Amino acid sequence: MAPGLRPELKTAALLQLACAYAVATNGTIVMPVIVATLMRRFGIGEDAATGLAGLEIVGIAIACAVLPRWVAGAARRFAAVGCLGTLLAQAAGAWLPSAGCVGVSRGIVGLFEGMLFVVVAASLSHRAAAERGWGVIMLVGGVFDAVLLVVAASLPGPWVDRWLFLLLAGAFALIAVPAARTGAHALPRPVASATRNPPRRWRTLLPIWAVMVLAYAVLAAQWAVAELVGSRIGLTAARIGLLLSLASVLGLAGCLAAAHRRSHDHRTPIVCAALLTMAASVVGFFVAQGSAAYFATQALVSLAFYALTPFLTARLSELDADGALVARSIVVCFAGAALGTAFAGTLLGTLGGPGFGAALALASLLALPFAWRAFARPALVAFNP
């Protein structure tokens, strides 16, 4: 173990953190069902429904940007408040009378979910074997949310339209107790070895952010036009939704690369292989001519993304004194996702499918030198931005 790093967390602690992570990040996986529910329940368009549902992401971003220092000093309290607040705000969405009120509730849900994410980040900060920790947490939490997505998508539409948010609250109530206990694993204050703004740490931090922005932009851009690509090759909307959901669930297996105990010794080649796989897969996705190729390439994109993400987050945790760096880096990820989503439709119309795939592949390849730089040297001192 490198000097100054905190001991590796036990499996039981990682499972508790995975419960909190599942509650904190469910919106990114269950979002398609939430959007569809808002459209049917209130008779609004897809753009309006997406905007209202997206307020949850805004709430998470605000919490991650503003709360880290406070959470670091009172992690137990914030973990309990985050769980209780998420449950109550989720359930309230079932009875709110208008789309606007539900939108406000989604933002409030995001604030409480952001609290939980900050607690998880603080618990992994400056830990040994951070790759394994994030790999296990993302895998277990992601599988829980994916199962929830499949269950919600399979229920009758009229029932889901009315009671989706109560279903979410009930599912999270099942894991609320272990999730609320995660504050015990966070630091009460920044570690003693932290130094403020060491210039050499920026030479590691900036490349990590560059890889995050590019990876999230590629994934979001590809996801934003996935339905359009599917319809162009003759797939029905129902089949597209099924294939994309299954591909996302299978993609979670990418976390296994980081969950292995020896992953730290091979993280640079794994990250580079993931970026190369993403580049090849997005090209294949936009030239796919059948449902099998459409599904396979989408699954590979998801697999590569989930193989990449735990290593990047763990690298930040090595530099992180109290969880603030990881939490605030989520804002960088959201910025990359927003960038990819915003330009996806325009670029697809301008470049066509193969050209757009090549552009996204180029963005993935552009991340390679940044990834190499990000993992080039060990992190010996925590970073306090």
Side-chain angles (χ1 to χ4, degrees), residues 218 222 277-287 297 301 353 357-358 360-361 364:
V218 169
Q222 180 265 336
T277 301
M278 182 176 284
S281 301
V282 290
V283 172
F285 181 79
F286 285 98
V287 298
T297 51
V301 171
L360 294 182
S364 298

Side-chain angles (χ1 to χ4, degrees), residues 190-201 319 321 380-385:
V191 293
S193 61
T195 59
R196 189 170 185 82
N197 291 337
R200 65 193 182 98
R201 293 296 167 230
L319 302 168
L380 300 178
V381 185
F383 184 89
N384 251 331

Side-chain angles (χ1 to χ4, degrees), residues 69-143:
R69 298 301 184 208
W70 295 351
V71 172
R76 293 175 184 267
R77 185 179 306 168
F78 274 98
V81 170
C83 282
L84 180 60
T86 300
L87 295 179
L88 295 177
Q90 286 278 16
W95 288 280
L96 292 175
S98 68
C101 291
V102 172
V104 172
S105 76
R106 300 319 299 164
I108 295 173
V109 167
L111 287 172
F112 287 116
E113 290 172 342
M115 291 181 189
L116 290 174
F117 184 86
V118 175
V119 172
V120 174
S123 300
L124 269 295
S125 65
H126 223 49
R127 289 274 184 191
E131 289 91 356
R132 177 177 178 268
W134 280 111
V136 171
I137 289 169
M138 291 182 179
L139 177 61
V140 176
V143 168

Side-chain angles (χ1 to χ4, degrees), residues 325-341:
L325 182 58
V326 170
R328 288 169 180 162
S329 295
I330 286 294
V331 181
V332 176
C333 297
F334 289 161
L339 185 67
T341 303

Side-chain angles (χ1 to χ4, degrees), residues 65-291:
V66 175
L67 297 180
R69 298 301 184 208
W70 295 351
V71 172
R76 293 175 184 267
R77 185 179 306 168
F78 274 98
V81 170
C83 282
L84 180 60
T86 300
L87 295 179
L88 295 177
Q90 286 278 16
W95 288 280
L96 292 175
S98 68
C101 291
V102 172
V104 172
S105 76
R106 300 319 299 164
I108 295 173
V109 167
L111 287 172
F112 287 116
E113 290 172 342
M115 291 181 189
L116 290 174
F117 184 86
V118 175
V119 172
V120 174
S123 300
L124 269 295
S125 65
H126 223 49
R127 289 274 184 191
E131 289 91 356
R132 177 177 178 268
W134 280 111
V136 171
I137 289 169
M138 291 182 179
L139 177 61
V140 176
V143 168
F144 181 91
D145 288 337
V147 171
L148 185 56
L149 169 64
V150 172
V151 170
S154 64
L155 292 173
W159 192 95
V160 171
D161 294 347
R162 178 63 182 172
W163 302 113
L164 171 64
F165 299 120
L166 192 60
L167 171 65
L168 296 176
F172 298 143
L174 297 176
I175 57 174
V177 173
R181 292 175 175 171
T182 54
H185 309 301
L187 284 173
R189 54 186 173 274
V191 293
S193 61
T195 59
R196 189 170 185 82
N197 291 337
R200 65 193 182 98
R201 293 296 167 230
W202 285 104
R203 295 200 295 268
T204 301
L205 180 60
L206 293 179
I208 297 173
W209 282 350
V211 178
M212 283 182 158
V213 167
L214 290 168
Y216 274 82
V218 169
L219 183 73
Q222 180 265 336
W223 185 263
V225 297
E227 185 172 352
L228 179 59
V229 173
S231 64
R232 286 184 176 181
I233 62 176
L235 301 179
T236 64
R239 189 167 182 79
I240 291 171
L242 175 63
L243 293 176
L244 292 178
S245 297
L246 289 175
S248 297
V249 172
L250 290 176
L252 290 168
C255 295
L256 291 171
H260 194 280
R261 286 194 173 275
R262 297 188 61 185
S263 62
H264 182 86
D265 298 332
H266 308 286
R267 57 186 183 175
T268 302
I270 292 174
V271 168
C272 291
L275 289 170
L276 289 171
T277 301
M278 182 176 284
S281 301
V282 290
V283 172
F285 181 79
F286 285 98
V287 298
Q289 294 300 315
S291 58

